[in-house]
Amino acid sequence: MLDRLKELGREATAALQSAATLMELESVRVKYLGRKSELNQVSRGLKDLESDERRSVGRAVNELKNELGALLEQSKERLESAGEPSAGLDLTLPGRMPWVGGKHPLTRTYERLESIFRGLGFEVALGPDVEDDFHNFDALNIPADHPARDGWDTIYIDDDSLLRTHMSPVQIRVMESRKPPIRIIAPGRVYRNESADASHGSEFYQLEGLYVDRDVRFGELKGVLIRFMRELFGENVTLRFRAGFFPFTEPSTEVDVKCLICQGSGCSVCSGTGWVELLGAGMVDPRVFEAVGYDPGEFSGYAFGLGVDRICMMMTGTDDIRLFLENDLRFLRQI
Amino acid sequence: MVDWGSGSSTVVCGAPNVHAGMTSVLAPPGSVIAGGHRITEQTIRGRRSHGMLVSAQELGLEESSEGIIELDGIEPGGDVRSPLGLDDEIIDLDVQPNRPDCLGVIGVAREVAALTGSELRLPRIDLNEAGRTAADMASVKIEDPHGCPRYIARVISDVTIGPSPAWLATALRSVGSRSINNIVDITNFVMLEFGHPIHAFDYDRLAEHRIVVRRARAGEVMVTLDDVERTLTSEHLLICDGKNPVALAGVMGGADSEVSEATRNILLECAWFDPVVVRRGAWKLGVRTEASQRFEHGVDAHAMEMIAARASSLMAQLAGGKVAPGFVDAGTDGGAAPAITLDVRSVASMLGEDVGRDEIVAALTSFGFGVADGPDGKLTVDVPPHRADVTVEADLIEEVLRSRGYEDVPPEVPFHSIDVPPDAGVGARNRVLDAMVRLGFYEVMTTSFMSESASGRLGGSGVQGEPIVLSNPVNKEMPFMRTAIMPSLLDVVRRNRNVGEKDLRIVELGKVFWKDGDGLRERWALAGALSGLAGRHSWGETPRSIDFFDGKGILWALAEALDIDTPDTACYDGRLLDAGASAGFSVRGEGLGFLGMLSKKALAAWELPDPVFVFEIDLDRLCGFIPTAVEFKELPRYPKARRDVALVIGERSAAGDVLAAVEGLGEPLLVDAQVFDIYVGKQLPPGKKSLGFGLTYMSRERTLTDEEVDEAHSRIVSHLTREFDAALR
């Protein structure tokens, strides 16, 4: 009798495990655990057995019932979660993809810069691309016929109108319209009459910053730029502040970052110098304050400017600035 | 066979002076000689040549050479730099425009001396003046004291014109200048020493031995020493002799008074010309010379006597000349610059509290400033004449910072709270861009310039006025500021098409520009282009090409994403568009822009083979419609009921008119009306089409009964059948 039970157990286990549908499972249940099943009959016939045999068979029957019951639950769960299998899907076929768009790499770079400066308390200010001589030059202590103007290869519309050569005119416009404290960044497209090559374009993007308040120190300029660079390039970035010249700041500084590509040992990106010039900055020249009607004795401030294209190139390893305006989709998808 | 110390090899050489046992200079394979030519191993006349024996010309040391270099007293394999005089260290300096004093070696040496605490040693001057005085031999008259505040002339007699000594020729060559003769070389050398250009005239060719400095007369002509005849204007400053112009002041000498081999006596000019006059004069003629660049930046009028003396002494020393006693001095050196008052506290407040009075005084003194105690505990600072760039307190603060070192100022990030006013439209434009990217568009950035042909093709479409013309465009073929983004977008479509990218959805948010009377205007625009397949190519589906309604759907979806009312559609006649498949859009009666299929002509103009749909929208106006705040409305609690109706109406009736009529009825229970089907075919009478509409009804107060819905629905249906003479299908 015990042998028979063992055999029954093996059969039932196999049937429960191989049931492929819930319906099949139900018929397996009826066959092996149902009212008319052999197991049930054995169970009912126990009372007719000798007491010794009754005890051993009874225990075996109970164990088997429990075991099969648990197995039935497992199989049920398995089949319920799988549901009915669909007919013949080749799951390895590619999915149907919707169109995926993307922002221009310069936009994404700019958004990164903007979010860092917003976190440092700067707001965004904008201005016209078509500027006048006063806002682009005169107010910035770059008088007509001064060699300093040679630094900007200007595209003119007429004697007074030109395409802005830097974002500084926005600083002037903001200062003309408001009183300090002012803390702005001015991002935008600038224009130079330069023939394009891998590292120069005639249209490119700059971001300038300006902070004007009482008693602004040079150390604050350094502090803000160091914070900015660390957020952008990571804590390990190394900066170098060099003396520089800009007509609209005094003192002026040029900020180099240790080349991120070669870590300072010299490569093509840094022209072998180990450093890449990334920023120009300085304390706002009092003559600029005079041009916008601020009292230089009362206010001081700092300004800085950087090339958005250059930062994007540095961060992505893009080696030709012209790619940004060519808009080859293979480039836009990649960067 | 050439022995190069640590080995030997065969070198083929055809020079006339090559001979056995000579010592010459070998350029081994891989080296680069003058003119950028790279030496390689090659077979010459059947023999393998491992390098090249070079001449002075091939090393860039001489203009032309007869044979290869022959050296004495050097072992094979030795370093040739010293015997050839090439062992000089050359430092390239990037001099900023505010420091013209550093456009000469002495100015740089003065800086180095200040920063290193060493002594500045100036060149020795030995004049040995003799004979008639300069004042006796020449005169100077300044007729334009603005253009030329000061002019010094010296006379040097009995010079012998000849080649310069090797040290002088080498010095000039090492800075990229050519050696001409001893006198001209001395003027160039002294310019490089002091940063102040000087000029040597042939004294005997100056009529009346007289110098007159005056403006040119309009149309006056002179031949400069580069043998170019130049026509002048009254903006040009001239150096003249008793009769004729002899030099373009500060720019270039004249051909007639040039120092030649026959020159015996020299009139040496050391002058101070106005930077702006020189700059404008040179600019008008389209020339820039070493001299004009230095005068443009400003020279030191107080050093002129020393400079003239230095050049005279060299002419005596190297050309055997006799220096006439004294000099003719016309004009003024402008006097001393006004002293600047420096508040010690302003230095501290900008650079840090620890910058003390002693440090400031020491720093300024080291750079040659005269520092004295001034009123109220301030400092009175005299600026040395070579530092004309220093005029205000901030300039002095920079000097202190330079002395201290930029690295030495501790960085600090203080927090000052500032009220931030609303952004300059940036947020709204970002929302538009985000929505376009979600709709599957790639953002592009194209040029702000526009070609003449694009402007012509554009005609009226998208243009609000005349294009702005650039007076000096970067590219002559792109002389305008763009009045629309579309043309450059189509260039992007073509470029991508050419590299096999056919399925395009691109968008640009950028500025457009135009002239409005005399005013120059600009605004933001949103432009896009679509071409290729409507959906991405996938298995098991027949790809459909993009059509007008894909474009329209995108604009509708954009409006939805921005919480703007669905735009109204109207006919649109754009120059580059197919009138049958283009439309203008407006919101609340304000025109926004257009969407359309490019006309066949436009496609041909841009060399595009497939249909392209473009749209261009006034972005400023679009952003104006974006609500600044959205208000919560309670979610509907009662079910919607939908009823469909199919109207058989005239083929030319517009679905939009039917929808407008439905809306115009103002049925309060109607919450939505959609077109769900269009049918034209055999089952309908000719000239008719069937339009299926799905109408949705709902109340916010209660669940509607079937009767209520049917009643509202039949009101609408009967209105439509009447209005459009329609039958129900």
Side-chain angles (χ1 to χ4, degrees), chain B residues 27-42 51-52 54 58:
Chain B
S31 45
V32 178
I33 59 169
H37 180 64
R38 183 175 289 275
I39 305 294
T40 54
E41 253 183 59
Q42 50 185 308
M52 180 177 172
V54 295
E58 283 153 347

Side-chain angles (χ1 to χ4, degrees), chain B residues 305-371:
Chain B
E305 290 160 44
M306 194 206 298
I307 293 163
R310 165 67 171 163
S312 304
S313 108
L314 281 174
M315 286 180 189
Q317 192 190 324
L318 305 179
K322 285 199 283 292
V323 181
F327 51 90
V328 185
D329 189 356
T332 159
D333 64 11
I340 303 172
T341 305
L342 176 64
D343 189 338
V344 175
R345 280 167 310 179
S346 9
V347 185
S349 85
M350 190 166 284
L351 300 186
E353 299 307 328
D354 64 320
V355 187
R357 191 186 186 88
D358 293 346
E359 182 183 342
I360 295 168
V361 173
L364 293 176
T365 310
S366 76
F367 285 122
F369 292 85
V371 187

Side-chain angles (χ1 to χ4, degrees), chain A residues 103 129 189 203 217 250, chain B residues 349 398 434 447-448 511:
Chain A
K103 290 183 183 175
D129 291 33
R189 180 177 283 199
E203 298 166 84
R217 282 192 292 277
E250 189 76 43
Chain B
S349 85
E398 180 173 70
D434 283 337
T447 176
S448 298
K511 282 183 176 177

